[in-house]
Amino acid sequence: MTTFAPSPMTALIDSTVRYDLAESTCPPVRLGDLAEPDELAAVPMGYGTTRGDLALRELIAARTGVTADQVLVTVGAIEAMFLLAQAVCEPGDRALLVTPCFPPARSVPEGLGAKVDLIKASFDDGYRLPLEEITAALGPHTKLVSLASPQNPSGVMFTETELRDLLNAVRRRAPQAVVLVDEIYRESSYAKTPVRPSVATLSPGLVTCSSISKAHGAPGLRIGWLTVTDPALYTQLREAKFLTTIACSNLDEFLATRVLSRSTEILADRAAFLAPALDELRGWAAKQQVEMVVPDGGPLCCLRLPAGVDVPAFYRRLAELDTRVAPGSWFGEDDRIFRVGFGHLPADEFRTALENLSAAL
């Protein structure tokens, strides 16, 4: 029987706190900013297509460098990850994950019966890609190599050189493996920092996933996607989607198209919001002598409590202040390390949340 490990991260959507620094989204877009009531009334509630709406796929293709026929629209990035793991991993196969990572990246292949090899990136090394350790762990039974760039929870982005070196290692040691790069935070930048290009076209053996949930602030629209440049794998994934969700919601696809049509404005607004929040967080960390890995993208980053701090007591005191962060154990890290989301709270509430962190320390 297929079983999936329970995840403490479900607390993010199943329970609320007053000052939530565990959340990792940008300020949400509003429905009224995307469409007028009469436009919504005209959206047909029939089936969509398995591939996804063509106009939506064209917008995704334009921002990732692939063609519309190489885009598969999914129910959020989580379905994208599930479909790929299901397509390439049979029970007993091996999946290699770079951690710390988004918990379902691990629990999905494990639940499908794959053996998971965890290669840990280090806080002390700035969460750079541990290529030597990855290469040593690769083998002929490795069918999936999974990582995120920018990473969740650290926001660290890998360079194209690092990813090319990884692809070369996979070709040599695990030629049947597919490399998944989760790019869900790629378009989330700070101030006028340019968005780095997608790596979707680096290799036919590389697949990317993303969604409009994080950078665009639209997690309520359950729309994500895969970019797949291998035609045979694309066909396999399209069939797998048909056998699970058939198609995405027409209404979600319509609104996601509006989001991406206004992407320049939406991303610029959020970049302007994130920049001062990140600066404030960096100033707070320096004042409190809390170590921090500065992110390259995304409304999130990792901090480490000073040595000697009573870690369980820190989390208890934080809970008493109706405040939470995301503990490292959610992602395969030590709980002395925690993730802070700096894009979710309004500026005044974010400042109060940081004061609560100081009090918990």
Side-chain angles (χ1 to χ4, degrees):
M1 181 175 69
T2 299
T3 57
F4 297 99
S7 173
M9 187 177 265
T10 57
L12 279 178
I13 59 172
D14 291 339
S15 65
T16 59
V17 297
R18 180 68 180 84
Y19 301 102
D20 197 350
L21 293 173
E23 188 53 79
S24 60
T25 62
C26 287
V29 293
R30 304 290 178 180
L31 181 59
D33 296 332
L34 301 177
E36 299 295 333
D38 58 336
E39 293 179 299
L40 295 176
V43 177
M45 290 292 97
Y47 280 114
T49 66
T50 303
R51 290 177 181 269
D53 178 75
L54 177 58
L56 178 58
R57 287 188 287 116
E58 288 176 338
L59 286 167
I60 295 166
R63 61 202 320 107
T64 54
V66 300
T67 67
D69 287 342
Q70 294 170 327
V71 174
L72 182 68
V73 180
T74 59
V75 183
I78 186 64
E79 186 191 28
M81 298 172 72
F82 187 95
L83 292 176
L84 183 64
Q86 189 178 50
V88 303
C89 290
E90 296 181 358
D93 286 339
R94 306 197 77 86
L96 186 151
L97 271 72
V98 178
T99 67
C101 66
F102 179 52
R106 174 179 179 175
S107 58
V108 167
E110 278 185 335
L112 294 171
K115 306 295 183 182
V116 175
D117 297 310
L118 302 175
I119 306 300
K120 189 172 182 178
S122 167
F123 185 100
D124 289 317
D125 291 335
Y127 289 118
R128 300 316 313 172
L129 192 66
L131 187 61
E132 289 187 11
E133 292 88 343
I134 292 171
T135 302
L138 291 169
H141 296 292
T142 305
K143 298 299 177 60
L144 175 66
V145 177
S146 177
L147 65 156
S149 181
Q151 294 169 299
N152 183 0
S154 72
V156 170
M157 194 169 196
F158 300 126
T159 66
E160 183 175 321
T161 298
E162 286 176 304
L163 292 175
R164 286 191 183 278
D165 289 344
L166 171 64
L167 288 167
N168 289 335
V170 171
R171 275 194 292 266
R172 292 194 313 270
R173 297 181 58 88
Q176 296 185 69
V178 174
V179 176
L180 171 65
V181 179
D182 177 353
E183 295 189 323
I184 200 165
Y185 291 105
R186 178 181 64 86
E187 294 185 286
S188 181
S189 61
Y190 315 126
K192 296 184 179 181
T193 305
V195 172
R196 296 192 199 177
S198 171
V199 298
T201 59
L202 282 187
S203 167
L206 183 148
V207 170
T208 74
C209 69
S210 191
S211 81
I212 58 172
S213 294
K214 304 298 186 179
H216 293 84
L221 299 177
R222 302 307 303 141
I223 294 295
W225 57 85
L226 286 162
T227 67
V228 189
T229 56
D230 180 329
L233 179 58
Y234 184 96
T235 298
Q236 187 179 1
L237 291 165
R238 181 178 62 81
E239 293 288 347
K241 181 190 171 185
F242 178 78
L243 293 172
T244 51
T245 53
I246 301 178
C248 295
S249 157
N250 272 352
L251 183 58
D252 280 2
E253 290 192 344
F254 169 79
L255 292 170
T257 301
R258 289 297 179 90
V259 169
L260 293 186
S261 296
R262 294 185 50 203
S263 184
T264 299
E265 175 189 347
I266 289 172
L267 292 176
D269 286 347
R270 277 139 192 82
F273 178 87
L274 292 179
L278 177 57
D279 286 344
E280 185 165 3
L281 180 59
R282 293 181 70 175
W284 175 88
K287 183 178 180 180
Q288 297 293 325
Q289 297 184 318
V290 172
E291 295 172 279
M292 174 179 174
V293 174
V294 179
D296 299 309
L300 75 176
C301 66
C302 282
L303 296 94
R304 183 163 62 184
L305 296 170
V309 168
D310 185 334
V311 176
F314 166 76
Y315 285 104
R316 285 197 304 271
R317 287 193 291 267
L318 208 55
E320 291 167 0
L321 294 166
D322 207 13
T323 304
R324 70 179 168 197
V325 295
S329 55
W330 285 9
F331 312 97
E333 260 290 11
D334 186 274
D335 275 347
R336 189 180 155 206
I337 294 169
F338 58 94
R339 185 186 76 182
V340 164
F342 52 88
H344 180 65
L345 294 174
D348 57 338
E349 295 184 17
F350 181 63
R351 193 165 296 114
T352 301
L354 292 181
E355 292 171 358
N356 291 347
L357 278 181
S358 298
L361 282 169

